[in-house]
Amino acid sequence: MRYNEKELQALSRQPAEMAAELGMRGPKKGSGERDPGDRDGARLGSVLKRRLVKLVVNFLFYFRTDEAEPVGALLLERCRVTREEPGTFSISFVEDPERKYHFECSSEEQCQEWMEALRRASYEFMRRSLIFYRNEIQKVTGKDPLEQFGISEEARFQLSGLQLPKSAGTTGTSPHTQPSHLDLQREVFGLETSKA
């Protein structure tokens, strides 16, 4: 696969939503993938390494702690962020759930902050947020806030095109009914509602 490396490097120098030095381990040994951050070409997953990890939009860049150019990047689309052990989390991808990138934080609080930020970094999360707020504004004002930009009819901004994933801690909606305000909040923001 080809990609525009110089533009990715330029993106890695942009201001970060979050950045920290974390322990990082790539997919398990035997995956055959080499760690580009290892000068000796060791396989990913063999050992936890200290990396500067930087979240920029929907990319997670990782750097050697003593270098300015990234060693690699993860595109945070169609991925799962999962708690592993206390103070650790992993990122895996829908197409290959067994290939996990593990991260170790300095505290449980830092781990929670990273997990929340990574879950909200995807294009799909931003799209669902836009749809949610578009609906809320339209309820209050009676006007479609996207109409002024001439994009209100585009499929990507329609609730009907929104596939609400069923995930732990959230509830889904029936495909035959319009989701309620609370259903949208739960799905878009991962909110759990108190049982009254």
Side-chain angles (χ1 to χ4, degrees):
M1 171 184 290
R2 294 179 188 210
Y3 60 94
N4 45 348
E5 186 174 350
K6 288 184 182 183
E7 284 75 14
L8 270 178
Q9 287 176 345
L11 182 61
S12 76
R13 291 188 282 276
Q14 296 299 310
E17 282 83 14
M18 287 188 77
E21 192 174 308
L22 303 176
M24 180 182 174
R25 184 175 61 241
K28 287 185 178 182
K29 201 171 192 169
S31 68
E33 186 174 342
R34 301 283 178 180
D35 183 351
D38 276 338
R39 292 183 178 97
D40 62 0
R43 289 184 187 274
L44 277 170
S46 57
V47 74
L48 191 72
K49 297 183 180 189
R50 297 307 291 173
R51 295 284 187 238
L52 173 60
V53 180
K54 184 176 177 184
L55 176 61
V56 180
V57 191
N58 61 345
F59 279 93
L60 187 66
F61 293 97
Y62 53 99
F63 303 75
R64 284 190 201 99
T65 56
D66 61 344
E67 293 186 8
E69 294 300 319
V71 171
L74 300 176
L75 176 61
L76 299 172
E77 298 299 333
R78 299 180 47 82
C79 69
R80 293 193 188 284
V81 176
T82 310
R83 156 116 37 253
E84 294 293 331
E85 299 170 9
T88 66
F89 66 90
S90 67
I91 299 174
S92 61
F93 295 89
V94 172
E95 285 79 16
D96 193 1
E98 298 306 311
R99 282 189 65 224
K100 289 185 177 182
Y101 293 82
H102 295 267
F103 297 86
E104 183 179 89
C105 301
S106 60
S107 69
E108 187 59 30
E109 182 181 346
Q110 184 187 43
C111 185
Q112 279 294 103
E113 289 172 2
W114 273 98
M115 289 175 63
E116 276 184 40
L118 293 169
R119 286 177 178 146
R120 294 175 183 219
S122 74
Y123 166 81
E124 189 56 31
F125 179 84
M126 290 183 255
R127 183 174 93 75
R128 286 186 274 163
S129 297
L130 174 76
I131 291 169
F132 173 79
Y133 286 117
R134 174 190 186 192
N135 260 3
E136 292 302 298
I137 291 169
Q138 198 163 6
K139 283 179 195 174
V140 171
T141 66
K143 294 182 181 178
D144 184 350
L146 299 182
E147 199 169 337
Q148 65 184 329
F149 301 107
I151 58 174
S152 63
E153 297 305 315
E154 289 186 24
R156 63 187 168 152
F157 299 124
Q158 302 307 312
L159 187 59
S160 60
L162 180 61
Q163 296 295 318
L164 298 177
K166 294 192 188 260
S167 58
T170 62
T171 59
T173 58
S174 165
H176 305 293
T177 61
Q178 184 85 353
S180 73
H181 171 76
L182 285 176
D183 288 334
L184 278 171
Q185 278 187 328
R186 280 188 222 115
E187 291 301 330
V188 172
F189 302 108
L191 297 177
E192 297 203 22
T193 56
S194 60
K195 295 179 180 164

